[in-house]
C-alpha cells in the first residue's frame, strides 16, 4: 500500500493529461484500456517523444487491432520520418520509420480499404518521397472520392499535380477549393503560381493579392512584390 513517503516521492510519467487519464482508469475504472493507450500515445506524440508513443500505440494494437490503432502507428512513423530526415539528418532512422509506416498503413488499408484517415495519412507519408508521388496522389484522390469537400486532400492532391506539371488538373481542384473554402489563402497562392507558370500575370496578381488579403501568406506576398516590381519597371523603363 502507498505510504505518505511514497506519495511524496511519486514522479509523474508523461504530463498532466496522462496523469489525469491514469487516475480516472485506476481510481474510478473509467474508460476503455485500448483508448487509454491511444490517448497516452497521442500525448507523447505531441511532445515528439516517439519511443514512448510507440510503446502505447503498440500496446493498444496488441489488445485490439482496429483502424485507429493502425492509423495511430502509421501517423507516429510519419512524424518520426519527418523529424529524422529534416531535423536529425539521420537517414537510416528516416528509412526505418518510413518502412514501418508503410507496413501499418498498408496492412490497415488491406483490411479497411475505405477508411478515410488511413488513406489520407498514408498519402502524407508517401508525399515525403519524390519516387512515390503516383501512390500518394492515388491516396488523396481516394479521400476525395470518399469525401469530396476534404480540404486537406484538395490541397495535397493539387500540390502533387503541380509537382507533376499537370496544371489543368491542379487548377480544377484549386478552383473547387476556392469555392468551398473562400477564406483559405493557400488555394489562392497555388492558383497564382499556376498562372505564373502559364504567363498570365494579371490573373496571378489577382490570386496572390487575394491570398495576402485572406491570410497574409508570406509566399504569396513575396511573389506579389516581385510581380509588382516587374510590372512597374515595364511601365516606367526610364527609372531603371
Amino acid at each position: 500500500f502507498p505510504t505518505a513517503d511514497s506519495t511524496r516521492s511519486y514522479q509523474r510519467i508523461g504530463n498532466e493529461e496522462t496523469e489525469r487519464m491514469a487516475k480516472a482508469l485506476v481510481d474510478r475504472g473509467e474508460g476503455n484500456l485500448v483508448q487509454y493507450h491511444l490517448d497516452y500515445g497521442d500525448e507523447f506524440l505531441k511532445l515528439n517523444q516517439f519511443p514512448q508513443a510507440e510503446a502505447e500505440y503498440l500496446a493498444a494494437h496488441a489488445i485490439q487491432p482496429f483502424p485507429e490503432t493502425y492509423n495511430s502507428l502509421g501517423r507516429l512513423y510519419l512524424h518520426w520520418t519527418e523529424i529524422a530526415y529534416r531535423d536529425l539528418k539521420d537517414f537510416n532512422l528516416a528509412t526505418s520509420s518510413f518502412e514501418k509506416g508503410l507496413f501499418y498503413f498498408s496492412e490497415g488499408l488491406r483490411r479497411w480499404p475505405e477508411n478515410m484517415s488511413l488513406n489520407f495519412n498514408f498519402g502524407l507519408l508517401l508525399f515525403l518521397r519524390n519516387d512515390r508521388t503516383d501512390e500518394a496522389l492515388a491516396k488523396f484522390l481516394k479521400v476525395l472520392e470518399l469525401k469530396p469537400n476534404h480540404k486537406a486532400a484538395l490541397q495535397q492532391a493539387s500540390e502533387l499535380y503541380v509537382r507533376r506539371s499537370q496544371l489543368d488538373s491542379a487548377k480544377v481542384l484549386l478552383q473547387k477549393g476556392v469555392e468551398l473554402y473562400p477564406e483559405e489563402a493557400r488555394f489562392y497562392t497555388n492558383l497564382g503560381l499556376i498562372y505564373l507558370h502559364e504567363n498570365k500575370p494579371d490573373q496571378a496578381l489577382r490570386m496572390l493579392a487575394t491570398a495576402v488579403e485572406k491570410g497574409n501568406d508570406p509566399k504569396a506576398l513575396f511573389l506579389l512584390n516581385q510581380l509588382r516590381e516587374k510590372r512597374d519597371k515595364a511601365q516606367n523603363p526610364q527609372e531603371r
Side-chain angles (χ1 to χ4, degrees):
F1 294 94
T3 65
D5 288 339
S6 67
T7 302
R8 281 196 296 270
S9 64
Y10 165 75
Q11 296 293 317
R12 175 187 294 152
I13 298 175
N15 57 29
E16 290 182 5
E17 181 61 18
T18 58
E19 183 177 5
R20 182 195 65 75
M21 291 187 291
K23 286 181 176 179
L25 180 63
V26 173
D27 296 343
R28 299 189 295 276
E30 296 176 357
N32 174 279
L33 186 57
V34 173
Q35 190 59 51
Y36 269 116
H37 279 301
L38 292 176
D39 291 342
Y40 293 153
D42 289 346
E43 291 299 316
F44 287 125
L45 186 59
K46 290 176 187 176
L47 301 172
N48 287 345
Q49 295 178 351
F50 299 132
Q52 296 92 326
E54 182 181 44
E56 296 297 338
Y57 292 149
L58 287 173
H61 192 67
I63 297 169
Q64 183 183 356
F66 70 112
E68 189 53 37
T69 63
Y70 283 101
N71 190 49
S72 293
L73 283 161
R75 283 190 305 112
L76 162 69
Y77 295 122
L78 162 64
H79 292 300
W80 212 338
T81 300
E82 287 183 302
I83 295 295
Y85 182 79
R86 184 188 64 220
D87 298 337
L88 304 178
K89 308 300 181 187
D90 187 336
F91 304 117
N92 289 330
L93 178 59
T95 298
S96 172
S97 300
F98 183 84
E99 293 297 329
K100 289 177 182 177
L102 282 180
F103 171 78
Y104 283 103
F105 282 133
S106 297
E107 184 63 18
L109 284 173
R110 185 182 69 80
R111 300 184 181 198
W112 298 281
E114 303 296 304
N115 185 277
M116 189 165 57
S117 294
L118 285 170
N119 275 287
F120 179 74
N121 287 316
F122 196 6
L124 291 179
L125 180 71
L126 294 165
F127 189 83
L128 297 176
R129 292 275 298 268
N130 288 329
D131 60 340
R132 309 295 288 261
T133 57
D134 288 351
E135 296 162 273
L137 180 59
K139 299 306 175 191
F140 295 133
L141 293 179
K142 178 64 177 180
V143 172
L144 291 173
E145 177 187 319
L146 295 168
K147 185 179 179 182
N149 65 341
H150 194 292
K151 180 166 69 171
L154 285 168
Q155 292 170 334
Q156 296 295 334
S158 62
E159 288 190 18
L160 278 173
Y161 277 132
V162 171
R163 186 186 294 185
R164 293 151 58 95
S165 298
Q166 295 176 261
L167 301 185
D168 288 341
S169 296
K171 282 169 68 175
V172 170
L173 294 184
L174 290 169
Q175 287 164 349
K176 182 176 181 180
V178 165
E179 293 171 7
L180 291 171
Y181 305 101
E183 299 304 313
E184 179 58 53
R186 187 173 169 187
F187 290 120
Y188 299 98
T189 300
N190 288 335
L191 271 173
L193 279 170
I194 290 176
Y195 288 130
L196 283 175
H197 281 298
E198 295 177 339
N199 196 28
K200 297 177 179 177
D202 291 340
Q203 292 94 321
L205 275 167
R206 187 165 61 251
M207 289 297 110
L208 294 170
T210 304
V212 172
E213 176 192 341
K214 297 289 185 182
N216 198 26
D217 188 331
K219 184 177 182 180
L221 181 60
F222 174 77
L223 293 170
L224 183 62
N225 288 335
Q226 281 194 324
L227 267 176
R228 285 172 172 169
E229 183 179 348
K230 184 177 180 180
R231 182 190 59 187
D232 291 344
K233 286 181 178 180
Q235 292 175 348
N236 302 286
Q238 69 278 6
E239 295 182 4
R240 293 180 187 177

